[in-house]
Amino acid sequence: MTNTSNKMIKIGIVGYGNLGKGVEMAISQNTDMELTAVFTRRSPESINSKATVYNLSEIENFKGLIDVMILCGGSSKDLPEQVIQISKHFHTVDSFDTHAKIPAYFDEVNRSSTENKTLSLISTGWDPGLFSMARLLGQCVLPQGEDYTFWGKGLSQGHSDAVRRVVGVKNGVQYTIPLEDALEQVRSGSNPKLETAEKHQRICYIVAEEGADIVEIETTIKTMPHYFAEYQTTVHFISEEELLKNHSKMPHGGIVFRSGTSASGSKQKIEFSLELESNPEFTSSVLVAYARAISKMSKEGQIGAKTVFDIPLGYLSPKSAEELRATLL
Amino acid sequence: MTNTSNKMIKIGIVGYGNLGKGVEMAISQNTDMELTAVFTRRSPESINSKATVYNLSEIENFKGLIDVMILCGGSSKDLPEQVIQISKHFHTVDSFDTHAKIPAYFDEVNRSSTENKTLSLISTGWDPGLFSMARLLGQCVLPQGEDYTFWGKGLSQGHSDAVRRVVGVKNGVQYTIPLEDALEQVRSGSNPKLETAEKHQRICYIVAEEGADIVEIETTIKTMPHYFAEYQTTVHFISEEELLKNHSKMPHGGIVFRSGTSASGSKQKIEFSLELESNPEFTSSVLVAYARAISKMSKEGQIGAKTVFDIPLGYLSPKSAEELRATLL
């Protein structure tokens, strides 16, 4: 006989920034899950979580006690280091979001998790994640057409993380903003050819360290590959006070359009959009739903690296397949 | 050595109404697929398809020559009869759309296809289908919230099919129209409780057979379970001339909203919408993309009945998993 507590999906959080905090909140909204422990590289005492907090060095002691580890570090440095170590012992879910580096990241994680017979979902959240799924679906259903992804207006976690890692930057945020002209062209149905950089601008608000070379900072940001190099980027230097006052909320959103035609010439349009008051809390909600899927799939014996393209949607739900067919189909 | 033609996915179409015609068109937009044959209960000579047309009675001769049969009949009578016979010999995809009867339909198809080691995807299209997926995703990612599905304004294939089967009806169409009040309430973010019938009205334009009892027709339509009984339904009787002139296009669309909150109280909104100039051609495009998935999964040895909740999105694409990760994630 299994008791209720054995049926609960046991989650560990690695890294307790905005994303880690969001995961703790999201777990509290899912009655089939519990947060077993938080792991941090910082001093555990400094972490304000309702769960027990451990130093990351203790993580291996939890082998067999945690069903899925949700890795909440940044994509530039944390995740590539941590996922290889942690996937040796645990099933993992992460939100690695450097699109251009995903293939190499996938291969490394796949090698490690296959070797260690664990299951790892990489690059979930909303983009990569739900938006990727909307793009894929649009292209498969309407093979003759164009798709367009617009982000914002919103504060981008990945890009803010990237600017904060620049030498001389004390704090900073980055907003992604759709270019109005581009939105209008797409809505007109004219199916324009638009590169990502022709659809958005990036605006950074930076607090520099005392005595830092702000010209150097601006150049480093504007030339950063994958993140800023190809965009119309503006860098504003502001005081820490102003940053905290005006830029501490993290709204985001965006739209994925697929605008296609059937063979007869009928116009068909698919639109998937998000309007988020809190970007990290939403990303966390997605990570938690996918942790449920990884828990179920690992129990079936699946191993290796996966992406959102490999996960049947039914696995995201706490409901049975029968219940889903009866109530949601 | 396999030649190119052996790699093509071979499709058969059963039933050549609007949906069957749409499937033929959609196949022409997918370079990895070919239409092997069309099967009809009517005289094959009467069918205007570019493919070879056979009487339905000849379908078993195509065993081993067709990878997936796409069943394009109506949900009220055709599909429940045909799927059990055809899934004995072929993998199938259908768009069975009587939501309330899906669980029983699934069980029957699952029994037949499991016994005969075939694979059958039931109830795909856009609703059930893509809209079901949007509802599931919304509930899993934002467990605290409400979802709302609005249909239209548009002509509903399933409901038009149902009115045309009423005794005394020569021809007819049905439009589903969102009730403006309800849309406004949802957009306000007030998360109202709304039954389906409180969100839409149904309007039918009917051409009666000469001498038919139009009072009887109206009553039969308005009291039809699952289709009309619980809705605000209006029935207009018009001439065949007027029907052909004003009601021969088949636009449709709709919106699935999920309006939720994170545990901190942040409002998060997911919206999935379709704007379709041709409803049957879009449904057909979805059926064809899922036929690709069923072809791939059947080659892996999967059997039994499936729904869209069981299919990883990657299977819908002609691209390899590597290519999808590199270009779409």
Side-chain angles (χ1 to χ4, degrees):
Chain A
M1 227 172 82
T2 29
N3 64 33
T4 313
S5 117
N6 280 343
K7 280 183 191 163
M8 296 289 270
I9 299 169
K10 293 177 178 61
I11 305 288
I13 293 174
V14 180
Y16 201 74
N18 289 323
L19 208 55
K21 285 175 204 163
V23 168
E24 180 168 8
M25 279 189 242
I27 290 168
S28 77
Q29 293 186 313
N30 287 280
T31 53
D32 60 338
M33 294 186 166
E34 60 190 27
L35 175 56
T36 303
V38 170
F39 301 92
T40 179
R41 285 170 308 194
R42 291 181 273 166
S43 147
E45 296 73 37
S46 70
I47 302 292
N48 183 23
S49 161
K50 285 179 192 158
T52 320
V53 185
Y54 298 88
N55 190 277
L56 185 53
S57 60
E58 300 182 66
I59 197 167
E60 288 184 36
N61 300 334
F62 286 81
K63 204 167 168 170
L65 301 176
I66 285 177
D67 295 310
V68 183
M69 286 287 184
I70 302 183
L71 309 193
C72 299
S75 295
S76 346
K77 295 190 172 179
D78 302 335
L79 292 176
E81 282 171 21
Q82 293 174 352
V83 71
I84 301 301
Q85 286 309 309
I86 296 171
S87 66
K88 283 183 188 165
H89 309 289
F90 299 95
H91 309 305
T92 67
V93 169
D94 74 50
S95 62
F96 183 81
D97 68 357
T98 313
H99 293 259
K101 294 185 176 172
I102 284 175
Y105 184 80
F106 177 89
D107 289 342
E108 267 196 83
V109 177
N110 190 42
R111 204 173 306 121
S112 155
S113 53
T114 305
E115 237 176 69
N116 294 284
K117 297 195 167 41
T118 59
L119 184 64
S120 290
L121 177 70
I122 69 154
S123 300
T124 190
W126 61 273
D127 198 353
L130 307 192
F131 271 21
S132 320
M133 292 156 68
R135 285 187 288 263
L136 172 61
L137 191 65
Q139 290 191 8
C140 296
V141 171
L142 299 173
Q144 208 165 295
E146 294 291 334
D147 51 66
Y148 300 93
T149 303
F150 286 89
W151 295 276
K153 182 195 171 176
L155 188 141
S156 156
Q157 258 183 294
H159 287 78
S160 296
D161 197 50
V163 300
R164 285 192 293 261
R165 286 174 191 282
V166 170
V167 174
V169 170
K170 191 177 178 195
N171 208 341
V173 296
Q174 191 264 187
Y175 294 98
T176 306
I177 300 170
L179 292 166
E180 269 306 321
D181 272 8
L183 264 179
E184 272 172 36
Q185 282 179 63
V186 169
R187 289 207 164 110
S188 76
S190 69
N191 282 10
K193 295 274 173 209
L194 293 169
E195 297 297 315
T196 308
E198 295 174 295
K199 291 184 295 180
H200 305 90
Q201 55 176 318
R202 300 196 177 280
I203 300 185
C204 307
Y205 292 89
I206 303 292
V207 180
E209 306 265 16
E210 227 183 292
D213 180 342
I214 65 168
V215 175
E216 173 76 20
I217 291 173
E218 183 165 344
T219 305
T220 306
I221 291 173
K222 288 185 168 177
T223 58
M224 197 184 292
H226 310 311
Y227 283 85
F228 293 100
E230 58 269 41
Y231 291 83
Q232 180 183 320
T233 300
T234 313
V235 179
H236 298 289
F237 289 92
I238 61 173
S239 68
E240 185 139 43
E241 194 186 5
E242 194 184 332
L243 186 88
L244 295 174
K245 189 179 157 209
N246 298 332
H247 304 284
S248 61
K249 292 198 172 175
M250 287 171 284
H252 219 313
I255 312 173
V256 176
F257 290 96
R258 179 73 182 180
S259 177
T261 46
S262 327
S264 74
S266 305
K267 287 194 179 181
Q268 317 278 33
K269 204 176 84 180
I270 307 175
E271 200 171 322
F272 179 78
S273 67
L274 296 172
E275 209 182 303
L276 312 172
E277 279 189 2
S278 170
N279 176 9
E281 290 172 20
F282 187 78
T283 302
S284 300
S285 299
V286 177
L287 289 170
V288 166
Y290 275 97
R292 178 183 292 114
I294 289 302
S295 169
K296 290 186 191 179
M297 291 167 73
S298 68
K299 283 181 180 124
E300 292 175 3
Q302 298 204 42
I303 59 169
K306 302 283 175 189
T307 74
V308 291
F309 299 150
D310 306 312
I311 315 284
L313 287 180
Y315 281 100
L316 301 181
S317 177
K319 295 181 181 173
S320 70
E322 290 76 15
E323 208 178 340
L324 291 178
R325 287 192 294 270
T327 61
L328 281 177
L329 199 62
Chain B
M1 227 171 81
T2 30
N3 64 31
T4 313
S5 117
N6 280 343
K7 281 183 191 161
M8 297 287 271
I9 299 169
K10 295 177 177 62
I11 304 289
I13 292 174
V14 180
Y16 201 72
N18 289 321
L19 208 55
K21 287 175 199 161
V23 168
E24 179 168 8
M25 281 189 238
I27 291 169
S28 76
Q29 294 187 313
N30 287 281
T31 54
D32 61 337
M33 294 185 167
E34 61 190 26
L35 175 56
T36 303
V38 169
F39 301 92
T40 178
R41 285 170 305 194
R42 292 182 273 166
S43 148
E45 296 73 36
S46 69
I47 302 291
N48 183 25
S49 161
K50 286 179 190 157
T52 320
V53 185
Y54 298 88
N55 190 277
L56 185 53
S57 61
E58 299 181 66
I59 197 166
E60 287 183 37
N61 300 335
F62 287 81
K63 204 168 168 169
L65 302 175
I66 285 177
D67 295 309
V68 183
M69 286 288 184
I70 302 183
L71 309 194
C72 300
S75 295
S76 348
K77 295 191 173 179
D78 302 336
L79 293 176
E81 282 171 20
Q82 293 176 351
V83 71
I84 301 300
Q85 285 310 307
I86 296 171
S87 66
K88 283 183 187 166
H89 308 289
F90 299 95
H91 309 303
T92 67
V93 169
D94 74 50
S95 61
F96 183 80
D97 68 357
T98 313
H99 293 260
K101 293 186 177 173
I102 284 174
Y105 184 79
F106 178 90
D107 289 341
E108 267 196 85
V109 177
N110 190 43
R111 203 173 306 121
S112 154
S113 53
T114 304
E115 237 176 69
N116 294 286
K117 295 196 168 42
T118 59
L119 184 63
S120 290
L121 177 69
I122 68 154
S123 301
T124 191
W126 62 273
D127 198 352
L130 306 193
F131 271 20
S132 320
M133 292 156 69
R135 285 187 287 263
L136 172 61
L137 191 64
Q139 291 191 8
C140 296
V141 170
L142 299 173
Q144 208 166 294
E146 293 292 333
D147 50 65
Y148 301 94
T149 303
F150 285 90
W151 296 277
K153 185 195 172 177
L155 189 141
S156 157
Q157 256 183 296
H159 287 79
S160 296
D161 197 53
V163 299
R164 286 192 293 261
R165 286 174 193 283
V166 170
V167 174
V169 170
K170 189 176 180 195
N171 208 341
V173 297
Q174 191 266 185
Y175 294 99
T176 305
I177 300 170
L179 291 166
E180 270 306 321
D181 272 7
L183 263 180
E184 272 172 37
Q185 282 180 63
V186 169
R187 288 208 164 111
S188 76
S190 68
N191 282 11
K193 295 276 172 206
L194 293 168
E195 297 297 316
T196 307
E198 295 174 297
K199 292 184 294 181
H200 305 89
Q201 55 176 317
R202 300 194 177 279
I203 300 184
C204 307
Y205 292 88
I206 303 293
V207 181
E209 306 265 16
E210 226 182 293
D213 179 343
I214 66 168
V215 174
E216 172 77 19
I217 291 173
E218 183 166 345
T219 305
T220 306
I221 291 173
K222 286 186 169 177
T223 58
M224 197 184 293
H226 311 311
Y227 284 85
F228 293 100
E230 60 269 40
Y231 291 84
Q232 180 183 319
T233 300
T234 313
V235 179
H236 299 288
F237 289 92
I238 60 174
S239 68
E240 185 138 41
E241 194 186 6
E242 193 184 333
L243 186 89
L244 294 174
K245 187 177 160 212
N246 298 331
H247 304 285
S248 62
K249 294 199 172 175
M250 287 170 283
H252 218 312
I255 313 173
V256 176
F257 289 95
R258 180 72 181 180
S259 178
T261 46
S262 325
S264 75
S266 305
K267 286 193 178 181
Q268 318 278 31
K269 204 175 84 180
I270 307 175
E271 201 170 322
F272 180 78
S273 67
L274 296 172
E275 210 182 301
L276 312 172
E277 279 188 4
S278 169
N279 176 9
E281 289 172 19
F282 187 78
T283 302
S284 299
S285 299
V286 177
L287 289 171
V288 166
Y290 274 96
R292 178 182 293 116
I294 288 303
S295 169
K296 291 186 191 181
M297 291 166 73
S298 69
K299 284 181 180 126
E300 293 174 4
Q302 297 204 44
I303 60 169
K306 303 282 176 191
T307 75
V308 290
F309 299 150
D310 305 312
I311 314 285
L313 287 180
Y315 282 100
L316 300 181
S317 176
K319 296 182 180 173
S320 70
E322 292 74 16
E323 207 178 342
L324 291 177
R325 286 192 295 270
T327 60
L328 280 178
L329 198 64

